[in-house]
């Protein structure tokens, strides 16, 4: 980086601080809320001085929600488990289907290949609510509503196009000659895909997988309509905190903290791949 | 028959549906003998790279047959063809060093580690890449990558070596040195190689025979010398040779004792009938329109010749290129001495009958080269 004058450095620092404060504030506030009771949260004016309590987390983990009207059972931990299961399996299925498909679209131009690829992308255009109504009908006929299988299938609408299109760009960036060289050195087409194409597109695949995971994790409306309580992920499960006796802000905050932890951890861990993966041309020589 | 390494028979390549797609290679037939170096020479889009890729197995053959050492291979995947290939662009495996990339080609050969090391060292010395053997492909230049790719191909003991523009990114001096070394290396080991290039100097220097391609059609397949001396058609004549051959449309008039070519601007080239053999005369007089070709080196100046006017006079340090306005076009002549011709000055030009290449005015096929029939 070229040298900066002291003034530039100060201005840069201020700008960065502003951005960080702007983006981090809600998360920090939520984190603080998760250690407070409903009463301290709703104090006016709000204050950052309070006696921390773990009650919110305890309630979530034990599944017993204490409200003014009595004890309420909530399935938060189960919802969290559902979220993990649904997201992981959906992304795994999407990778399994999407990566070979992306390779095919990148390397082989066949009749209608662009049309098929575009159709897959178009799943992302349609507002989910538009497809939900017919989908609910079909799922009831097929007996797929309120099954993990059905949800994972629907989640492919989110994950598959994302993975397909990001990874395709990656494969296209790899010089075909690298693969040709490997094949002519005495390797099959499949070995070339495994040993050359996959590792070289690795960062892109990781980035696409991570993004797909985040999208799947944050999905709300598909699971709301197509699954009942025992199959629902946290995004839907959080609705349980809006109770007859009021909104349980503390528990909601704790639930949010718990539910963003996996994606946040994953994103931090895979940050390197994400940056590398989303800046195109990273694999070029 | 046994000395034929590669045999292509009526090979067609269509991109898209057969007979309707882009016809990149048209009914190509050629034979390559064992131990021979062949150059596929042509401008971009002439079908030379498509041909190479069909031989390698990266492109499907739309029609026709390719056999290598007696086996028909056109339906084989690359892995079963036993060919090696050097690539023009980025083709090294990025996670491996240059050394590993080159040694990688020997994996299947089950050589001992020390034998592999020795071979890699030899080829690296030949290609002057010893100093970058430990580096990764992303940290070396295009020319170095190209040489590493070339090394990876040449180190193999394959039935056929395919070299796709293997020296395009090298500096001219290095290219000139490597040409000689590579040719020696290939000949010493009795390898058979096909080189794809658009650089005729490279083709001339490396190849035993050159296949000139244009528009997907093989124009001529012959030794560099014969291609230069006896081009089969107008395309080969003008494509090969630097500076390019001068060409002028002409009409032929013949009498018992004279043979004359009428060029544009009323210029007439008069020759004694005895300057041409009987058969050439016969062939020429049958044509109404012909195209005359003459190499710039073969054009002579003579006070009693036909007149042109100097347009450019360039001394290149070792030769003079003179361009003259002549017969409605430009005639280039090359001389080895410096001349003091002024631009606009008239010069007399003499085209010796022995230096004339005559092509058919319609088909472009060669009719005669000097005194002989094509």
């Amino acid at each position: 980086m070229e040298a900066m004058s002291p003034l530039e450095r100060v201005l840069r620092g201020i700008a960065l601080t502003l951005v960080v404060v702007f983006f981090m504030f809600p998360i920090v506030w939520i984190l603080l809320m998760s250690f407070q009771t409903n009463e301290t949260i709703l104090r006016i004016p709000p204050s950052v001085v309070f006696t921390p309590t773990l009650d919110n987390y305890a309630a979530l983990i034990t599944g017993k929600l204490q409200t003014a009207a009595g004890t309420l059972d909530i399935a938060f931990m189960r919802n969290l488990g559902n979220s993990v299961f649904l997201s992981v399996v959906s992304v795994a299925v999407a990778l399994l289907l999407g990566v070979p498909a992306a390779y095919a679209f990148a390397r082989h131009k066949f009749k209608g290949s662009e049309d098929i690829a575009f159709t897959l992308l178009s799943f992302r255009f349609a507002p989910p609510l538009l497809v939900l109504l017919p989908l609910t009908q079909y799922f009831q006929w097929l007996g797929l509503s309120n099954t993990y299988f059905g949800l994972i299938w629907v989640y492919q609408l989110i994950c598959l196009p994302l993975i397909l299109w990001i990874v395709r760009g990656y494969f296209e960036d790899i010089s075909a000659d690298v693969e040709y060289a490997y094949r002519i050195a005495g390797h099959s087409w499949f070995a070339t895909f495994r040993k050359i194409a996959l590792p070289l597109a690795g960062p892109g695949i990781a980035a696409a997988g991570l993004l797909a995971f985040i999208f799947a994790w944050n999905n709300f409306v598909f699971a709301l309509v197509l699954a009942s309580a025992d199959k629902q992920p946290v995004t839907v499960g959080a609705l349980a905190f809006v109770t007859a006796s009021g909104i349980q802000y503390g528990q909601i905050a704790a639930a949010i903290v718990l539910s963003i932890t996996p994606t946040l951890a994953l994103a931090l861990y895979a940050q390197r791949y994400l940056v590398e993966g989303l800046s195109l041309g990273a694999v070029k020589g | 028959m046994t000395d034929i390494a590669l045999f292509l028979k009526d090979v067609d390549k269509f991109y898209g549906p057969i007979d309707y797609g882009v016809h990149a290679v048209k009914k190509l037939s050629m034979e390559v003998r064992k131990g021979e170096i062949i150059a596929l020479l042509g401008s971009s889009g002439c079908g030379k790279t498509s041909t190479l890729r069909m031989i390698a197995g990266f492109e499907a053959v739309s029609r026709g047959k390719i056999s290598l050492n007696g086996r028909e291979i056109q339906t084989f995947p690359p892995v079963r063809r036993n060919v090696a290939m050097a690539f023009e662009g980025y083709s090294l495996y990025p996670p491996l060093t240059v050394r590993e990339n080159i040694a990688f080609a020997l994996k299947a050969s089950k050589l001992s580690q020390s034998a592999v090391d020795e071979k890699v060292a030899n080829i690296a010395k030949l290609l002057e890449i010893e100093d970058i053997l430990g580096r990764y492909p992303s940290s070396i230049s295009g020319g170095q990558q190209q040489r590493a790719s070339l090394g990876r191909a040449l180190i193999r003991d394959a039935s056929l070596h395919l070299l796709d523009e293997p020296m395009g990114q090298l500096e001219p001096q290095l290219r000139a040195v490597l040409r000689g070394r590579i040719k020696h290396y290939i000949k010493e080991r009795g390898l058979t190689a096909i080189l794809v290039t658009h650089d005729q100097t490279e083709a001339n220097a490396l190849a035993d025979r050159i296949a000139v391609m244009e528009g997907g059609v093989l124009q001529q397949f012959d030794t560099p010398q014969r291609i230069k001396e006896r081009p089969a058609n107008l395309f080969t004549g003008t494509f090969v040779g630097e500076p390019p051959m001068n060409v002028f449309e002409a009409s032929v008039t013949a009498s018992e004792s004279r043979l004359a070519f009428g060029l544009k601007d009323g210029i007439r080239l008069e020759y004694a009938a005895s300057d041409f053999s009987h058969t050439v005369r016969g062939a020429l007089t049958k044509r109404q329109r012909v195209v005359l070709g003459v190499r710039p080196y073969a054009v002579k100046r003579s006070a009693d010749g036909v007149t042109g006017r100097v347009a450019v006079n360039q001394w290149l340090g070792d030769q003079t290129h003179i361009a003259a306005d002549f017969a409605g076009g430009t005639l280039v002549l090359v001389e080895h001495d410096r001349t003091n011709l002024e631009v606009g000055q008239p010069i007399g030009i003499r085209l010796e009958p022995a230096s004339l290449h005559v092509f058919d005015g319609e088909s472009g096929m060669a009719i005669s080269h000097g005194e002989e029939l094509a």
Side-chain angles (χ1 to χ4, degrees):
Chain A
M1 201 181 290
E2 65 240 66
M4 282 189 296
S5 73
L7 180 69
E8 272 178 319
R9 217 168 301 169
V10 170
L11 286 176
R12 192 184 150 88
I14 292 172
L16 281 175
T17 314
L18 281 174
V19 170
V20 169
V21 167
F22 182 80
F23 283 106
M24 289 306 289
F25 177 76
I27 294 176
V28 173
W29 198 250
I30 292 275
L31 190 68
L32 292 177
M33 275 168 70
S34 72
F35 293 106
Q36 300 177 49
T37 60
N38 242 9
E39 291 76 59
T40 50
I41 291 168
L42 295 173
R43 257 182 324 188
I44 290 175
S47 159
V48 290
V49 186
F50 58 91
T51 347
T53 166
L54 286 173
D55 285 354
N56 295 323
Y57 289 97
L60 290 177
I61 289 162
T62 57
K64 302 283 180 214
L65 189 59
Q66 309 289 339
T67 68
T71 310
L72 208 65
D73 281 336
I74 48 159
F76 178 77
M77 290 317 281
R78 192 182 166 93
N79 292 148
L80 196 61
N82 284 340
S83 270
V84 173
F85 178 75
L86 287 171
S87 305
V88 167
V89 176
S90 298
V91 170
V93 170
L95 284 174
L96 222 56
L97 297 174
V99 171
Y103 185 71
F105 284 129
R107 281 285 177 262
H108 304 284
K109 296 278 163 269
F110 46 91
K111 207 175 166 152
S113 62
E114 281 310 310
D115 301 326
I116 298 171
F118 192 75
T119 306
L120 284 167
L121 182 69
S122 72
F123 294 161
R124 298 286 300 162
F125 301 162
L129 282 173
L130 199 74
V131 293
L132 257 175
L133 199 66
L135 214 56
T136 318
Q137 289 265 323
Y138 283 125
F139 268 41
Q140 265 155 13
W141 290 338
L142 294 168
L144 286 173
S145 51
N146 200 25
T147 59
Y148 286 124
F149 183 82
L151 275 179
I152 288 164
W153 193 348
V154 173
Y155 272 35
Q156 296 311 311
L157 287 179
I158 307 166
C159 300
L160 197 56
L162 205 65
I163 285 175
L164 186 78
W165 276 80
I166 296 181
V167 175
R168 179 193 180 175
Y170 255 78
F171 283 132
E172 280 172 352
D173 262 5
I174 302 170
S175 158
D177 285 349
V178 178
E179 293 177 22
Y180 288 147
Y182 194 76
R183 286 178 66 185
I184 210 157
H187 300 270
S188 68
W189 163 87
F190 188 66
T192 311
F193 173 66
R194 256 181 41 234
K195 296 280 179 59
I196 300 291
L198 278 188
L200 288 182
I205 294 171
L210 187 67
L211 272 184
F213 183 85
I214 292 171
F215 276 92
W217 184 276
N218 288 342
N219 181 261
F220 172 74
V221 73
F222 285 135
L224 175 71
V225 177
L226 295 172
S228 61
D230 65 324
K231 305 278 193 318
Q232 279 168 347
V234 275
T235 43
V236 182
L239 284 179
F241 301 111
V242 184
T243 66
S245 59
I247 299 170
Q248 306 299 313
Y249 288 108
Q251 273 109 12
I252 290 184
I256 290 171
V257 171
L258 285 181
S259 64
I260 62 171
T261 307
T263 38
L264 195 67
L266 202 64
L268 285 178
Y269 167 73
Q271 195 184 26
R272 192 168 59 87
Y273 295 112
L274 205 60
V275 174
E276 214 177 290
L278 294 178
S279 51
L280 289 177
V283 290
K284 275 201 180 133
Chain B
M1 189 65 203
T2 47
D3 74 328
I4 300 295
L6 181 76
F7 180 50
L8 277 74
K9 175 80 182 143
D10 294 336
V11 170
D12 270 306
K13 176 66 196 175
F14 290 93
Y15 290 100
I18 290 178
D19 288 332
Y20 296 99
V22 178
H23 203 174
V25 176
K26 298 172 186 163
K27 246 181 153 21
L28 175 66
S29 294
M30 62 192 286
E31 289 176 1
V32 178
R33 292 189 281 269
K34 278 181 186 159
E36 210 175 13
I37 305 176
I38 296 299
L40 297 179
L41 178 66
S43 44
S44 19
C46 73
K48 58 190 196 297
T49 298
S50 295
T51 304
L52 199 74
R53 287 176 175 252
M54 283 192 284
I55 297 169
F58 302 145
E59 293 286 357
V61 174
S62 303
R63 260 201 301 259
K65 286 177 185 165
I66 300 178
S67 48
L68 181 59
N69 292 342
R71 290 190 309 165
E72 252 183 47
I73 57 163
Q74 73 270 13
T75 56
F76 286 11
V79 53
R80 286 180 58 203
R81 298 190 183 201
N82 192 26
V83 295
M85 183 159 171
F87 294 85
E88 181 184 8
Y90 305 115
S91 71
L92 301 174
Y93 316 129
L96 302 185
T97 62
V98 170
R99 183 196 307 281
E100 289 162 341
N101 261 287
I102 296 174
F104 190 89
L106 295 173
K107 252 192 177 168
S109 67
K110 299 189 172 58
L111 287 169
S112 71
Q113 187 61 46
S114 60
V116 169
D117 287 346
E118 195 193 319
K119 273 179 169 261
V120 173
N122 278 338
I123 201 89
K125 187 164 176 233
L126 181 94
L127 298 169
E128 299 190 8
I129 48 172
E130 293 152 295
D131 51 331
I132 55 157
L133 282 177
R135 306 257 296 267
Y136 286 93
S138 57
S139 73
I140 61 177
S141 73
Q144 290 169 325
Q145 295 204 20
Q146 214 169 31
R147 278 179 280 159
S149 173
L150 191 54
R152 185 174 60 183
L154 289 178
I155 204 169
R156 273 184 63 195
D157 193 19
S159 310
L160 183 64
H161 287 73
L162 305 172
L163 315 175
D164 186 6
E165 305 268 5
M167 288 182 267
Q169 297 187 41
L170 305 188
E171 285 157 29
Q173 295 90 332
L174 187 59
R175 208 183 302 175
V177 174
L178 287 191
R179 263 184 223 131
R181 286 196 203 155
I182 289 167
K183 179 159 191 172
H184 180 74
Y185 180 94
I186 293 175
K187 287 291 170 194
E188 197 179 51
R189 283 162 181 74
L191 306 177
T192 309
I194 297 182
L195 163 83
V196 158
T197 183
H198 61 263
D199 177 354
Q200 46 176 300
T201 318
E202 196 167 295
N204 282 325
L206 271 166
D208 299 314
R209 285 192 293 163
I210 299 177
V212 181
M213 291 184 76
E214 173 65 12
V217 178
L218 180 63
Q219 305 287 331
Q220 189 169 6
F221 185 30
D222 217 326
T223 60
Q225 175 147 19
R226 281 182 61 87
I227 282 182
K228 209 150 204 183
E229 288 174 359
R230 305 179 60 86
N233 56 35
L234 195 54
F235 176 80
T236 316
T238 50
F239 186 74
V240 181
E242 179 58 39
M245 179 187 272
N246 298 298
V247 287
F248 299 95
E249 287 177 13
S251 59
V252 185
T253 47
S255 66
E256 270 309 295
S257 58
R258 311 292 297 167
L259 186 74
F261 297 98
L263 277 60
K264 281 190 188 140
D265 290 353
I267 287 179
R268 278 178 75 78
L269 302 173
E270 298 267 358
Y271 298 99
S274 58
D275 286 339
F276 297 89
S277 71
H278 181 68
T279 44
V280 170
R281 275 207 313 271
L284 289 180
T285 48
K286 264 189 272 167
R287 262 78 169 192
Q288 292 289 307
R289 312 241 17 116
V290 295
V291 175
L292 281 187
V294 60
R295 299 268 177 213
Y297 294 95
V299 179
K300 299 277 177 284
R301 280 199 282 144
S302 148
D304 59 353
V306 285
T307 312
R309 203 165 283 281
V310 177
V312 178
N313 176 7
Q314 262 185 318
W315 170 244
L316 301 180
D318 55 351
Q319 50 182 251
T320 302
H321 285 195
I322 301 161
D325 294 327
F326 177 76
T330 304
L331 177 97
V332 175
L333 58 140
V334 173
E335 289 180 358
H336 291 283
D337 301 312
R338 209 165 182 156
T339 54
N340 52 3
L341 290 169
E342 300 284 336
V343 170
Q345 185 181 338
I347 49 168
I349 289 157
R350 167 102 187 122
L351 304 176
E352 300 288 344
S355 67
L356 287 183
H357 302 271
V358 189
F359 303 94
D360 188 281
E362 271 135 44
S363 67
M365 297 307 288
I367 302 165
S368 65
H369 303 290
E371 293 160 28
E372 289 172 46
L373 213 56

